[in-house]
Amino acid sequence: GINAEYGKQWYQRRVREAVVSTQSTGATHGRKVLTMAPGLGQLTIIPFVVAAYDKTKSQMAFYDASRHEDFLFISGSKMRAIARSGEQPPPGFMAPSAWDVMSSFYKNLAAQS
């Protein structure tokens, strides 16, 4: 329906904006903007911690550079491609019911294109 179409367009627009913003200004741009905003000088910015799929534990975990070979980085683009193709992500990557919803969405989106 109309709400679903609006939601899809909103999501796609936000993803494009986030990618452009990150590519053009660097990953710390948001932090810089928040620290310069009036009234937010007392705000403590918590650093971003990278998460990746830990192949040894079959689950998502915080990245440990000393065990780099144990981690699989699945970008949003790669995740959407896996969902569109009907493949399954590695076990423990995402709750199966959540994956079913996301995979269905991207398969339907691909079919409409």
Side-chain angles (χ1 to χ4, degrees):
I2 293 174
N3 287 338
E5 183 62 26
Y6 174 78
K8 180 177 77 173
Q9 291 174 1
W10 182 90
Y11 171 77
Q12 291 171 338
R13 189 170 43 252
R14 294 302 168 264
V15 168
R16 279 194 303 271
E17 289 171 0
V19 169
V20 169
S21 176
T22 302
Q23 290 174 346
S24 62
T25 59
T28 61
H29 176 70
R31 171 185 242 171
K32 289 177 188 174
V33 169
L34 284 175
T35 58
M36 295 184 308
L40 295 181
Q42 307 300 326
L43 187 67
T44 301
I45 307 295
I46 300 171
F48 177 75
V49 179
V50 175
Y53 182 76
D54 187 331
K55 297 182 285 188
T56 65
K57 297 178 182 176
S58 296
Q59 65 183 23
M60 295 298 291
F62 292 125
Y63 174 65
D64 178 355
S66 69
R67 299 178 35 239
H68 178 76
E69 64 283 346
D70 293 338
F71 288 90
L72 177 62
F73 293 90
I74 301 174
S75 68
S77 296
K78 183 172 181 152
M79 182 176 63
R80 288 186 293 277
I82 293 170
R84 254 190 314 276
S85 70
E87 296 175 52
Q88 292 296 310
F93 174 73
M94 182 182 288
S97 58
W99 182 257
D100 290 343
V101 170
M102 193 176 77
S103 181
S104 175
F105 174 79
Y106 284 106
K107 281 190 261 183
N108 289 335
L109 190 61
Q112 292 174 6
S113 299

